[in-house]
Amino acid sequence: MTANVDLIALKIHGDERGSLVALGNGHHLPFDVKRVYYIFGTKEGVSRGFHAHKKLTQLLIAVRGSCRITCEYNNKKEEYILSRPDEGLQIDGLVWREMHDFSSDCVLLVLASDYYSEADYIRDYQTFLNEELHD
Ligand code: TYD
């Protein structure tokens, strides 16, 4: 699977009452969602992630607060600050991702293209580099 990372603007339905973002399969989402999870209450100074997926697409949205995501793929390393509920970071394929600098109020929502499977994880960085070479 080719690796790619993209920051996507999510359409806001706004009026005098405030804002609403709606995401559904085939509707402002470039992949079908099978799983949703969210990360919150992250302790100060804690980083998460440190893995790649063999075959998974995810959309990460900081629906509250902020965090910093590093993505390593195709021999480059990118860094994104997620701090807006109307912005999603789409991560496709073989990407080594790390999540840092969670604000204490951060709620990071993740939409995923498949069910949880430990078999899809690469948790060892050297194994990721080897997989990348042969991808
Ligand atoms: P973990 O993979 O350590 O989270 P991260 O890589 O984002 O830091 O997951 C923490 C725990 O949650 C671990 O026991 C696996 C479990 N988990 C599920 O049961 N389902 C899921 O969809 C995810 C993402 C994790």
Side-chain angles (χ1 to χ4, degrees):
M1 188 182 187
T2 49
N4 196 47
V5 178
D6 254 330
L7 206 50
I8 293 175
L10 306 173
K11 182 177 163 53
I12 298 181
H13 301 272
D15 57 29
E16 66 285 351
R17 296 170 298 171
S19 304
L20 182 156
V21 171
L23 303 169
N25 291 345
H27 194 77
H28 301 298
L29 265 186
F31 61 95
D32 281 356
V33 175
K34 285 193 179 158
R35 175 168 52 113
V36 174
Y37 63 94
Y38 42 98
I39 294 169
F40 61 101
T42 308
K43 304 278 186 278
E44 200 181 338
V46 167
S47 295
R48 304 193 59 131
F50 300 94
H51 63 254
H53 288 281
K54 294 176 188 163
K55 201 179 169 199
L56 188 71
T57 301
Q58 293 184 307
L59 189 71
L60 283 61
I61 306 165
V63 291
R64 186 180 175 95
S66 64
C67 62
R68 177 171 62 89
I69 314 283
T70 60
C71 295
E72 196 175 329
Y73 65 108
N74 299 344
N75 299 310
K76 59 184 171 181
K77 189 169 180 178
E78 295 172 346
E79 185 172 273
Y80 298 89
I81 306 288
L82 296 185
S83 62
R84 302 173 57 118
D86 61 344
E87 194 171 75
L89 186 67
Q90 187 178 326
I91 304 181
D92 284 313
L94 200 65
V95 176
W96 183 265
R97 81 284 309 270
E98 299 177 7
M99 297 170 270
H100 305 281
D101 301 342
F102 286 87
S103 63
S104 58
D105 63 345
C106 184
V107 181
L108 183 66
L109 176 68
V110 183
L111 312 184
S113 64
D114 215 338
Y115 303 114
Y116 176 73
S117 163
E118 191 56 40
D120 186 59
Y121 278 76
I122 299 172
R123 294 192 183 273
D124 175 66
Y125 184 66
Q126 195 57 51
T127 307
F128 160 73
L129 292 179
N130 292 343
E131 286 279 332
E132 227 192 359
L133 269 181
H134 300 110
D135 200 37

